[in-house]
Amino acid sequence: MEAYLLEYGNVLLRWLHVVAAIAWIGESIYFVMLDNSLRPPQSAEGKRRGVFGEMWGVHGGGFYHNQKYLTNPAELPDDLHWSFWKAYTTWLSGFALFAAMYLLKPGFYLVNPGSSWAWAASMSGWQASLLAIVFLLLGWIVYDQLCRRISPNMERDGVLSVAVAVMMVVVAYLSCMIFPGRAAFLITGAVMATCMSANVFFWIIPGQHRMVDALKAGREPNPLDGKRGKQRSVHNTYFTLPVVLLMLSNHYSFTYSGPYAWIILSLFIFSGAAIRQYFVLRHSGQNKLAYPVVGVALLVAIGFLAAPRPAPAPTGQDAQGETVSTAQVMQIMHARCVQCHAAHPTQPGFPAPPAGMVLETEQGLLAHPDLVKQVVANNYMPLGNLTQMTQAERDTIAAWTAPQSKP
Ligand code: HEC
């Protein structure tokens, strides 16, 4: 019952998280589009009031006329629309989900007995959880320091972009070496998402508060507050597309289970950033096709890198030259898999068979023989090797040829 309630809570939390993220990202994309679509004001009235740029739009059966002032509009109404709760809700619900699925159950997804770094392979559950939190905190601290030191007043933003890109490759590499692929992709996405929310919390909103306070007191706002907020806001738009992809990646184990996981992860980030760059320029009237071409080329490269290696055709025989029977494989399923993959799992925390995969009967096994062979061969299953499958058992499954394998 408890496991069921947790699972139900998980669904509700995920729903909240996705809706908040859509609202935040949608608004953020809208404002980038607005900013890049501004044209000098047409009317004498607009010019007189110091309008910097304006955009006319039609949507939902009505016409809209947006006008942007830089830091000092002549008057400021009290009911100014702020956007920040969407960002905070996204991060808080995302962290709660991460805690429920990963930090509190590190044995399933966070510990990586297959890591080639011995200290990482032998980490205990709580150490892995602690390290995951350190990744998020340190990610923000390093990113923030890069911004402060390299381009505090937006004067060297090009160099800063390169530094942040290098930082993300390092995060991708470290997380893929330390954590299982699934968690590594998520944690790298969460590092970016944490930087995004922290940008809103520590820079964009406080800067805007100072600007509004100055205007209300009749002082000229400090233009640096506007510039710095803009810098962080621009970074956020670069992070958006990769973050969304990384949050969805857990459904696609082929992306994170192979030997090139960290390269694939880095290429996904660059591809998302390149595609985003195209749309930003597009809004300002430039059609720079090189960006989507690079983005798509990276995606094609990922397609090759993530493709299954051509494994030697199963011999059908084990190391002793004996034919591997399906009954032998079923024995292994019962020893290592049915704790979770049963109609009624005995593994605490699993109210239902994960991924709908029931491996208690031959019929269940033979419904997905190739998938079973794949996840056993790339060490994705058993999760966190909780049931301590041996290499000999993996070899046996690799050698097995399933009867009536589906084409
Ligand atoms: C500790 C629980 C646990 C054990 C033990 C376990 N699994 Fe899984 N399995 C899961 C979970 C959770 C998922 C869903 C993972 C996901 O959503 O990526 C899963 C998913 C799968 C999938 C679907 C993967 C996909 O990409 O769709 C297969 C196949 C699978 N397991 C096979 C096995 C086999 C074979 C074994 C035994 C060698 C095994 N599992 C042992 C928990 C477990």
Side-chain angles (χ1 to χ4, degrees):
M1 189 63 188
E2 195 193 314
Y4 168 73
L5 287 179
L6 280 175
E7 191 82 345
Y8 186 55
N10 185 312
V11 167
L12 298 184
L13 207 52
R14 191 173 296 248
W15 192 14
L16 172 66
H17 181 58
V18 172
V19 170
I22 290 175
W24 178 18
I25 293 171
E27 195 171 70
S28 143
I29 288 180
Y30 174 77
F31 273 99
V32 174
M33 182 279 290
L34 178 58
D35 240 5
N36 287 300
S37 306
L38 295 173
R39 301 288 172 264
Q42 296 301 314
S43 65
E45 164 72 5
K47 286 179 196 145
R48 190 185 58 75
R49 285 191 294 122
V51 172
F52 166 76
E54 60 186 8
M55 185 191 86
W56 280 89
V58 56
H59 186 86
F63 295 94
Y64 294 79
H65 182 198
N66 290 357
Q67 296 184 316
K68 175 174 181 170
Y69 297 84
L70 289 179
T71 43
N72 38 353
E75 75 267 29
L76 204 59
D78 283 333
D79 60 344
L80 193 58
H81 175 89
W82 288 74
S83 11
F84 49 85
W85 267 109
K86 301 174 186 84
Y88 301 163
T89 307
T90 306
W91 191 86
L92 291 171
S93 55
F95 187 77
L97 265 179
F98 183 56
M101 291 199 53
Y102 289 77
L103 300 177
L104 299 177
K105 297 194 274 190
F108 295 152
Y109 291 122
L110 273 185
V111 292
N112 184 9
S115 170
S116 45
W117 290 353
W119 64 268
S122 61
M123 252 189 318
S124 69
W126 70 266
Q127 286 169 330
S129 293
L130 198 67
L131 194 58
I133 296 177
V134 168
F135 256 73
L136 300 189
L137 283 178
L138 215 60
W140 160 247
I141 292 172
V142 172
Y143 161 77
D144 189 50
Q145 286 299 322
L146 289 176
C147 296
R148 285 168 186 251
R149 283 164 200 266
I150 297 179
S151 185
N153 302 323
M154 286 188 88
E155 65 277 55
R156 287 195 293 162
D157 272 16
V159 182
L160 177 57
S161 310
V162 174
V164 174
V166 171
M167 167 189 151
M168 286 321 305
V169 174
V170 173
V171 173
Y173 177 72
L174 290 178
S175 61
C176 285
M177 293 305 287
I178 296 172
F179 299 104
R182 176 186 165 118
F185 273 44
L186 193 80
I187 288 171
T188 304
V191 164
M192 285 192 266
T194 300
C195 291
M196 290 171 71
S197 301
N199 274 340
V200 175
F201 188 77
F202 291 113
W203 287 92
I204 301 174
I205 296 300
Q208 288 176 182
H209 271 299
R210 283 192 295 273
M211 287 163 62
V212 169
D213 290 347
L215 280 172
K216 289 199 168 143
R219 282 181 281 118
E220 180 113 334
N222 181 355
L224 275 184
D225 277 328
K227 273 192 173 181
R228 288 174 182 158
K230 178 78 192 167
Q231 176 191 55
R232 302 299 178 114
S233 175
V234 167
H235 288 177
N236 280 5
T237 67
Y238 278 110
F239 287 146
T240 306
L241 300 192
V243 167
V244 171
L245 185 93
L246 295 181
M247 296 297 149
L248 298 175
S249 65
N250 61 45
H251 299 292
Y252 305 97
S253 62
F254 69 92
T255 56
Y256 52 74
S257 304
Y260 305 118
W262 72 272
I263 302 178
I264 293 174
L265 173 45
S266 307
L267 295 185
F268 268 136
I269 294 175
F270 295 142
S271 159
I275 292 171
R276 171 269 181 212
Q277 180 68 356
Y278 171 72
F279 282 105
V280 170
L281 293 174
R282 183 73 211 253
H283 290 311
S284 58
Q286 306 176 50
N287 199 12
K288 293 259 164 68
L289 281 171
Y291 286 106
V293 168
V294 168
V296 170
L298 294 179
L299 293 179
V300 171
I302 291 172
F304 280 105
L305 284 175
R309 303 293 110 198
T315 54
Q317 298 182 337
D318 64 14
Q320 284 74 43
E322 304 278 339
T323 303
V324 178
S325 66
T326 301
Q328 255 174 294
V329 175
M330 280 314 297
Q331 260 178 10
I332 301 179
M333 295 295 116
H334 276 274
R336 311 294 181 195
C337 314
V338 301
Q339 296 87 336
C340 300
H341 291 286
H344 301 285
T346 52
Q347 174 73 43
F350 285 91
M357 190 78 54
V358 179
L359 299 171
E360 286 167 301
T361 60
E362 255 187 47
Q363 197 193 2
L365 170 67
L366 295 180
H368 314 274
D370 297 334
L371 196 54
V372 166
K373 285 172 74 101
Q374 180 198 322
V375 296
V376 169
N378 65 22
N379 292 323
Y380 183 42
M381 289 291 142
L383 269 194
N385 205 12
L386 273 187
T387 50
Q388 306 188 340
M389 186 173 213
T390 62
Q391 189 54 47
E393 288 167 333
R394 290 189 200 275
D395 294 343
T396 302
I397 292 179
W400 169 62
T401 40
Q404 317 127 13
S405 247
K406 297 219 180 80

